[in-house]
Amino acid sequence: MIKNKISRGVLLGILSISVDGIAGLAIFPVLLYYQPKELAGLWILLTSFSALLNLAQAGLGPVITRMATEIKIDSTDSDIEKYYLKVNYCYRIVVFLVFCICALLYLFYIRDVLIKSNYLSSGIIVWAIMTLGYCLKIYATKNINTVNGYGELGWDKLIQIVVTVFSNIAYVIGLYFGLSLIFLATIFFIFSLVYLYGSKVILRIFVKMPKILSRKKINFSEVLDIFKQSLKVLILNLVSVIVLNVDILIVERFWGLNVIPLYSALVKIVTLIIAVSLLIQQMIYPYISLSWNTGVYKKARDLYLKGLMISLITSIVLSALLFLTAPILIPIWIGYGNYLGAKVFGPLLLFGIVYTHFHSHVSPILATGKKTYITPAITNGILSIILGLLGAKYFGINGIALGNIIASLIPTIYVVISTLRFFKTHSKYGGLANGEYKR
């Protein structure tokens, strides 16, 4: 049963990533064909903030998923109701934080970019509409995390497939008829609303919910405790966002908006490889958590090692394949003369492998709730900024990825050794080493 759910989740995840990837790759040449490079770069820049805004969840995702797993194992109706009240309260705070972050981004960064590109009046409207869309998508994640915690994997991917397909069809139609970025932002908002509604549907289908949530007050200290648990995850997520997105900001500062579409096209490919490679980690996360909470430590270790092997093999094979075919495929995709070359793409792909390796060890640890890697994460983030800037200054655009690789190596080595030792120790000396889940 568990294997079937993981397999279903993986298959739907691969399909979702494939659809999202194809749609994302397809929109690049359309943007470059129907929009000036500067406006195309602006749209890509504005949509790139989605990863940063996900940080407003303050690392709640893994914590909520683990809480939902515990509720599923053993709970009363009162426990379930209390869970939903706390989660709803947490995500109202999160939506407010998203709005505040969007406002700060505009005041201290986006406004300056819009002025430079002479797009201030329309750009304000675009960002305001996108802000509302981001708030809706973030709020939907509370439903997604609960469903995943109950072990019903992959259904959120099905919603994402529908949203991706129809939203990108709308984008292409709008660009074909010469509509502005305001239209694209409106489409983004509409399909964020669709995503929220879809998340509510799967929650009602798969999860036992109270018929009516009471209006009793929640003890704020309990909500604060949830955020305290998620703080370490937030730091890890913050580092991930810095490491994966700092290069776009560096490119904008050193080479301007015109180069962003060309560099982002390569980053998009690497991001897709990372997403496919780490998909298995998302699917096994709730089951590692379940194994750990029920004392079956050996099973948790087995899932961790299998996930690690699958993630690494996938990352290496896909990276090698795309590196070899890039000189032929990328010019066909975004136009001849727009491929930045193997000296840029090669280091980006190598960085993707290192990043996948790092997170294939971190995710299983987070599922146990017993350990995090704050110091290595902070070290990685700081070094990525410093070495990325130095690489750009002294080695050109290919130096950004080289800087990120060097920044990631030492933290990755530490995390690998520590995680292997952690699971080996606990599976050998603790828990139901060869047992089944307690029911």
Side-chain angles (χ1 to χ4, degrees):
M1 185 67 174
I2 290 175
K3 287 183 179 179
N4 290 338
K5 288 184 176 181
I6 293 176
S7 298
R8 182 192 65 210
V10 170
L11 289 174
L12 286 173
I14 290 173
L15 182 59
S16 174
I17 291 171
S18 300
V19 170
D20 186 60
I22 292 169
L25 296 176
I27 205 69
F28 273 95
V30 177
L31 273 170
L32 290 171
Y33 186 81
Y34 289 107
Q35 293 284 342
K37 276 187 179 179
E38 193 171 39
L39 283 184
L42 178 61
W43 176 254
I44 293 168
L45 181 67
L46 294 180
T47 54
S48 71
F49 287 115
S50 61
L52 176 61
L53 292 171
N54 278 327
L55 288 177
Q57 292 186 73
L60 283 176
V63 176
I64 298 301
T65 299
R66 192 168 65 247
M67 286 171 58
T69 301
E70 293 168 358
I71 286 290
K72 181 185 177 183
I73 295 171
D74 184 21
S75 62
T76 63
D77 288 343
S78 177
D79 293 331
I80 295 172
E81 182 184 32
K82 192 174 182 180
Y83 164 81
Y84 280 108
L85 286 169
K86 287 191 290 187
V87 169
N88 286 342
Y89 199 96
C90 286
Y91 272 88
R92 285 169 189 159
I93 296 173
V94 163
V95 168
F96 176 72
L97 289 175
V98 169
F99 183 84
C100 291
I101 291 172
C102 285
L104 292 172
L105 281 171
Y106 174 78
L107 290 173
F108 294 103
Y109 182 74
I110 294 173
R111 186 174 183 274
D112 182 51
V113 174
L114 294 175
I115 291 172
K116 286 181 181 179
S117 59
N118 197 28
Y119 198 71
L120 182 61
S121 57
S122 296
I124 294 173
I125 299 173
V126 170
W127 186 243
I129 296 171
M130 292 184 72
T131 295
L132 294 176
Y134 283 129
C135 288
L136 291 175
K137 290 200 78 171
I138 291 294
Y139 194 66
T141 58
K142 73 183 180 71
N143 302 326
I144 300 300
N145 292 329
T146 299
V147 172
N148 287 340
Y150 268 65
E152 298 296 339
L153 306 175
W155 298 108
D156 58 311
K157 308 300 182 185
L158 194 59
I159 300 170
Q160 186 61 47
I161 290 169
V162 173
V163 168
T164 299
V165 169
F166 287 100
S167 63
N168 276 274
I169 290 173
Y171 288 149
V172 171
I173 292 172
L175 290 168
Y176 177 79
F177 285 104
L179 299 179
S180 67
L181 295 188
I182 294 176
F183 174 83
L184 299 186
T186 303
I187 292 300
F188 176 81
F189 169 78
I190 291 171
F191 281 95
S192 296
L193 193 61
V194 172
Y195 187 78
L196 174 60
Y197 178 77
S199 72
K200 289 182 177 180
V201 170
I202 63 170
L203 181 70
R204 291 192 184 102
I205 292 173
F206 295 110
V207 178
K208 178 184 178 183
M209 296 179 62
K211 291 182 178 180
I212 300 176
L213 289 177
S214 68
R215 295 185 178 274
K216 64 182 179 182
K217 291 184 179 180
I218 288 295
N219 188 335
F220 188 73
S221 63
E222 294 180 346
V223 174
L224 187 61
D225 183 61
I226 294 174
F227 280 103
K228 284 180 179 178
Q229 292 180 54
S230 68
L231 180 61
K232 294 179 180 180
V233 181
L234 169 61
I235 295 173
L236 293 174
N237 289 345
L238 176 60
V239 171
S240 295
V241 169
I242 291 172
V243 170
L244 289 177
N245 293 277
V246 70
D247 51 353
I248 299 295
L249 302 181
I250 293 173
V251 168
E252 188 274 323
R253 286 303 175 191
F254 276 82
W255 293 280
L257 289 172
N258 290 335
V259 181
I260 285 182
L262 310 184
Y263 189 85
S264 292
L266 302 182
V267 172
K268 180 69 175 177
I269 294 172
V270 175
T271 303
L272 286 173
I273 293 173
I274 291 172
V276 172
S277 302
L278 292 179
L279 179 62
I280 185 65
Q281 302 299 331
Q282 297 176 34
M283 297 303 110
I284 66 176
Y285 183 97
Y287 293 106
I288 291 178
S289 180
L290 180 62
S291 300
W292 196 268
N293 287 329
T294 52
V296 193
Y297 298 153
K298 185 177 184 300
K299 189 170 185 65
R301 179 174 180 264
D302 290 344
L303 286 168
Y304 151 61
L305 292 175
K306 287 177 183 178
L308 171 65
M309 180 181 66
I310 293 171
S311 291
L312 274 179
I313 291 174
T314 303
S315 180
I316 292 169
V317 170
L318 288 178
S319 296
L321 180 64
L322 284 164
F323 180 75
L324 294 173
T325 57
I328 299 171
L329 297 181
I330 293 180
I332 295 173
W333 168 38
I334 58 173
Y336 291 92
N338 288 329
Y339 176 43
L340 295 177
K343 290 184 178 179
V344 177
F345 195 36
L348 281 171
L349 289 169
L350 183 57
F351 164 72
I353 295 172
V354 175
Y355 182 92
T356 298
H357 193 200
F358 180 88
H359 281 272
S360 295
H361 291 277
V362 170
S363 180
I365 282 287
L366 294 179
T368 68
K370 298 296 182 182
K371 190 174 184 179
T372 55
Y373 293 114
I374 302 303
T375 301
I378 294 174
T379 302
N380 192 4
I382 293 172
L383 289 176
S384 291
I385 296 172
I386 295 172
L387 296 181
L389 287 168
L390 290 174
K393 183 177 181 179
Y394 293 106
F395 299 99
I397 198 166
N398 58 309
I400 303 173
L402 291 172
N404 277 336
I405 292 170
I406 296 170
S408 300
L409 283 178
I410 294 177
T412 298
I413 292 170
Y414 172 80
V415 165
V416 168
I417 294 172
S418 179
T419 305
L420 287 169
R421 184 179 297 159
F422 176 87
F423 276 103
K424 182 179 180 180
T425 300
H426 283 81
S427 64
K428 184 175 181 180
Y429 297 111
L432 305 174
N434 297 296
E436 298 295 331
Y437 295 129
K438 295 176 183 176
R439 296 296 181 186

